[in-house]
């Protein structure tokens, strides 16, 4: 089998931040890297799941909601992927700063009822907010 592009980048050289993976069929894939790969610090599964609920909700309620294709966690738990159309890096950076700031305001996880989620008991709102705050600091240095 051919090695796919996401396995072809050297993860030892990947830094935290916001990176473009590429654009195909008009859709841009963004690498929201929360953690330095293979450095022993990972987002917990419960916090990662909650961040998905919080940030997906915020992105899909934002003024750019029509330009959001997908937001979801990386299996390695070092970050998230965001797929967009019509958005450049400065617009995505501003949009994400906004969303990660607003994440702090949730006092419950949106979509956390049994009928709304595939693993509704595995959530960690405080852990998610803590990771969102750390990633916001990373975004503020871009
Ligand atoms: Zn869920």
């Amino acid at each position: 089998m051919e090695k796919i592009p996401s396995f072809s980048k050297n993860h030892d050289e990947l830094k935290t931040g916001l990176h473009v993976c590429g654009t195909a069929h008009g859709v841009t894939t963004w690498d929201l890297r929360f953690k330095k790969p293979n450095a022993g610090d990972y987002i917990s599964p419960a916090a990662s799941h909650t961040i998905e609920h919080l940030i997906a909700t915020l992105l899909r309620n934002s003024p750019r909601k029509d330009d959001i294709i997908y937001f979801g966690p990386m299996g390695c738990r070092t970050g998230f992927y965001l797929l967009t159309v019509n958005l450049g890096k400065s617009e995505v950076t501003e949009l994400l700063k906004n969303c990660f700031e607003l994440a702090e305001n949730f006092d419950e996880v949106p979509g956390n009822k049994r009928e709304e989620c595939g693993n509704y008991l595995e959530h960690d709102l405080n852990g998610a907010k803590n990771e969102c705050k750390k990633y916001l600091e990373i975004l503020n240095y871009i």
Side-chain angles (χ1 to χ4, degrees), residues 55-118:
I55 301 299
T57 297
L58 290 164
L59 287 167
R60 293 189 184 285
N61 281 281
S62 76
R64 304 312 295 261
K65 62 185 177 189
D66 292 338
D67 300 324
I68 304 302
I69 306 297
Y70 169 80
F71 175 80
M74 294 175 183
C76 61
R77 297 190 281 109
T78 62
F80 290 80
Y81 286 115
L82 169 65
L83 275 64
T84 63
V85 291
N86 306 318
L87 296 175
K89 180 143 187 187
S90 59
E91 292 166 302
V92 168
T93 306
E94 282 316 302
L95 177 62
L96 289 174
K97 279 184 188 174
N98 243 316
C99 290
F100 279 92
E101 250 168 49
L102 292 171
E104 182 63 32
N105 299 336
F106 281 99
D107 44 28
E108 70 174 84
V109 181
N112 73 343
K113 294 187 183 70
R114 187 185 174 103
E115 65 271 24
E116 297 170 329
C117 174

Side-chain angles (χ1 to χ4, degrees), residues 49 52-53 111 116-120 123:
H49 183 197
E52 180 190 28
H53 279 235
E116 297 170 329
C117 174
N119 191 358
Y120 79 110
H123 279 289

